[in-house]
Amino acid sequence: MQTKFSPAQLADPHIETANGILRACVHCGFCTATCPSYVLLGDELDSPRGRIYLIKDMLENERPASAKLVKHVDRCLSCLSCMTTCPSGVHYMHLVDHARTRIAETYVRPWPERLLRALLAVVLPRPSLFRLALVGARLARPFKGLFPGRLKGLVAMAPASVPGPSALDRPQVFPAQGVPQRRVALLTGCAQRVLRPAINEATVRLLTRLGCEVVVAEGVGCCAALVHHMGREAETDAQVKANIAAFERVMEGGALDAIVVNASGCGTMVKDYGHVLRTEVAWAERARRVAALARDVSEVLVELDLGTLVTPDKPGIDGEPPVVAYHSACSLRHGQKITKEPKRLLADAGFEVREPAEAHLCCGSAGTYNLLQPELASALGARKADRLAATGAQVIATGNIGCLAQMTGAVGIPVVHTVELLDWAMGGPRPPELG
Amino acid sequence: MRMPEPDAAVLARRGDIIEQLRAIVPGEGVIVDEDELRAYECDGLTAYRQLPMVVVLPETTEQISRVLRYCHETGVKIVPRGAGTSLSGGALPVADAITLGLGKFKRILEIDYENRSAVVQPGVTNLAITEAVEHQGFYYAPDPSSQIACTIGGNVAENSGGVHSLKYGLTTNNVLGVEVVLMTGEVLRLGGKHLDSGGYDLLGVITGSEGLLGVITEVTVRILQKPETARAFLIGFPSNESAGDCVAAIIAAGIIPAGVEMMDKPAIHAVEDFVHAGYPRDVEALLIVELDGPEAEVADLIARVQAIAEETGAVTIRISQSEDERLVFWAGRKAAFPAVGRISPDYYCMDGTIPRRALATVLKRMAAMSSHYSLRVANVFHAGDGNLHPLVLYDANEPGELERAEAFGADILKLCVEVGGVLTGEHGVGVEKRDLMGVMFTEDDLKHQQRLKCAFDPDGLLNPGKVYPTLHRCAELGRLHVSGGQTRFPDLPRF
Ligand SMILES: Cc1cc2nc3c(=O)[nH]c(=O)nc-3n(C[C@H](O)[C@H](O)[C@H](O)COP(=O)(O)OP(=O)(O)OC[C@H]3O[C@@H](n4cnc5c(N)ncnc54)[C@H](O)[C@@H]3O)c2cc1C
Ligand code: SF4
Ligand code: SF4
């Protein structure tokens, strides 16, 4: 596509990157059809091609973000379905990330919106604060009518019970069982370990059983995706750098084979660290190195021989092999292009795996999207719930905490993380959600 | 390419027009801000761009009918738009016109397996129809490469075809009925679930009318049972000529493959980088030949096609071993145009049809033109029915390249007509081939075609500036529209 940047504009590395992305777009429109917001709204402005145009216009003319542009970019889930569809290799993710930074710099949101965003940016990445907030929200639930606007939604969304902190959250090393085969670091995440500590626990049991030494590193916090998707550049850079430094300290104690991520939203982010810090000479190479080590837990597991460990009397629900609907998180499917591994692992572990129709469409969770765009998020959630229910499965497995939280309660079928089922098949506890 | 001069009087009424539209379509369905209109400034043909005066996104047929009636009564032009994937600029906005988007018409209304038909709204994508019926073993046959995104309304308007049209026909052979809103706001239903209706074939008139006669608001399509088996060949050749010979020999042997597609080397490489379909990179031309039908018949045809391929000099021959593999073979072909976006920032996709025997000559002359214009060309086409899609590669950021690409494209189309072919196979005339219509039709032919247009839209309000190089006043063509002693719109633009 034609662009109109001046040489002076192109001297800015961000604009140069954006220009490269825009020029790859041939305006074929293929991406519109698989974009959840376009599917719901039918307005090209809420499609990837439309957003690309809006962003191009803003960047070329060096205009501050307009209210209209912000509206349409805010409706983007960053599900990256458009990147899977685009035959021309347009890197929409980097373009929209840059647009979000521009929005944060040049657009003043109405104050309730600003407050909500600031609140989320502070609370969600900090497990102790988040836990406190959830407990508070649960207590506040009877009074939710008193809360204004979207805070009401937040309060309503708090789970019925908030698990306590897990012993696993502290920095420590879990030795491999048997002959050590790999040394990996586990990103324990932020929101996930508050909402469902069982996921990290199952991951550690699985990995150590398969011969991995698992390090929970000191100083590793939120992956920074939360603030990154809100365009908060300074906070993003700070969190990313802290994580890089922390992983480097682990590597000083011995080489790492992988940084295992079991929340795919975080995985997509960590894999992109190299891009985030590409313009900072002191950090670019270090960021690339850490990013190159990041692997989704399913990628690591398929390389380890799981088959031998599956217990002979495979798990069952009422004596039958459980039927699992695999819900592929967008960050795994589109962000990391991992589609087959989790299904294969589940099938190898003895589950009957089904996939819902419209598997490529986002469930509406999308990080903080369900909090910031509740209407679209719940429309997508309901649509996904219908498709999942139609599979006739007894349990839903997914690889991302956001989807797990979004789908829990919406379908009427228990929702668990893929590793929880795998761990169960290999002698771990039966996920309590299965009753 | 020139578009009609905008009517200053209409532009001056913009505020009022917006207000009237808002009264018909509430909420976010009326788009007026410049930065938002920008996203609607072109379709799949990015060389031509124009901001629409307003965009309106109605949700019901009734709203469309009221919008059209309002436009009819007050002389406002209107451009229908589906998914905006047209490659001929059919959905290109007009400065003093409303762009009417059908993106909200996404519902599948009825699936009737007994009558092998489905009733859908016009904004449903081509692929979504197949997806809705495939669990029962059915599909919708015409499959444009853009099927993931293009709408059935757009398909009817362009009479689109696909790789399987060789055997199963174009859109026109697979549409049973439509509901269409005329410029007056009148809602007309044509056809139904049956094959033929009494009277003139108005359904045939609407199909391929490029948004010039009415707005399609519902489509009844025929769905087919999936063939028992389908296998696809990948056949590589050392030259375009030998690939062309192979196609001719297959057809001459009385075999009707489900599809025969050809790609030349630049296209093969661009596609292989994206899809990794396993296309051979060291051949000059690649054929994808699909055979379908009952198991035994397909087995027999495979042997015959293989023999023909060997005789005509194929250097690589592969046959799909599984359904997944067959789909991967096609995935490459379907993504071919945009995949070319990887080797060139812009492309100009041509769409001419030639008699199959002229293939080698045309390709050779095209190669000569390519060096004359110093522009690369990648070729992807429906070889079975002689429908060429040369992609002229250019860089819109380089001054002069677009103009060279346009001239190159025009030369290609003239060449198609010269060897006995036609200007378009399936992408429509739009604005792209409008000024070349004279190469193919005489003034008389064009006048006759426009008389039909006059019968539906005497004031020339629907999708103006498209298809016809000169807009004749309907009065001139012998059908008088005089009000108050004056022809209507005496200042109607001519261009
Ligand atoms: C990469 C690529 C590959 C393609 N491959 C093919 C191919 O293989 N075969 C093929 O035939 N085409 C192909 N096309 C062209 C294009 O996809 C088709 O012409 C398609 O039918 C257009 O549908 P649309 O919904 O995008 O319509 P639009 O582009 O929005 O509109 C096309 C025309 O139809 C009119 N129109 C749209 N909807 C309506 C309606 N409801 N009522 C009245 N008029 C309407 C518009 O006014 C316009 O004139 C390709 C395009 C691209 C970008
Ligand atoms: S990331 Fe998802 S929501 Fe955003 S434009 Fe792409 S497909 Fe649409
Ligand atoms: S699919 Fe890719 S090239 Fe086509 S419009 Fe979307 S982003 Fe652009």
Side-chain angles (χ1 to χ4, degrees), chain A residues 23 41 43 53 66 72 75, chain B residues 28 35-36 40-41 104:
Chain A
R23 299 236 49 207
L41 300 168
D43 180 349
Y53 238 77
S66 68
H72 298 296
R75 285 176 179 170
Chain B
E28 287 184 0
D35 54 348
E36 291 194 294
Y40 283 93
E41 74 176 1
K104 292 185 188 280

Side-chain angles (χ1 to χ4, degrees), chain B residues 35-52:
Chain B
D35 54 348
E36 291 194 294
L37 292 176
R38 187 67 61 195
Y40 283 93
E41 74 176 1
C42 62
D43 53 22
L45 177 65
T46 54
Y48 306 125
R49 299 186 292 270
Q50 168 63 52
L51 279 191

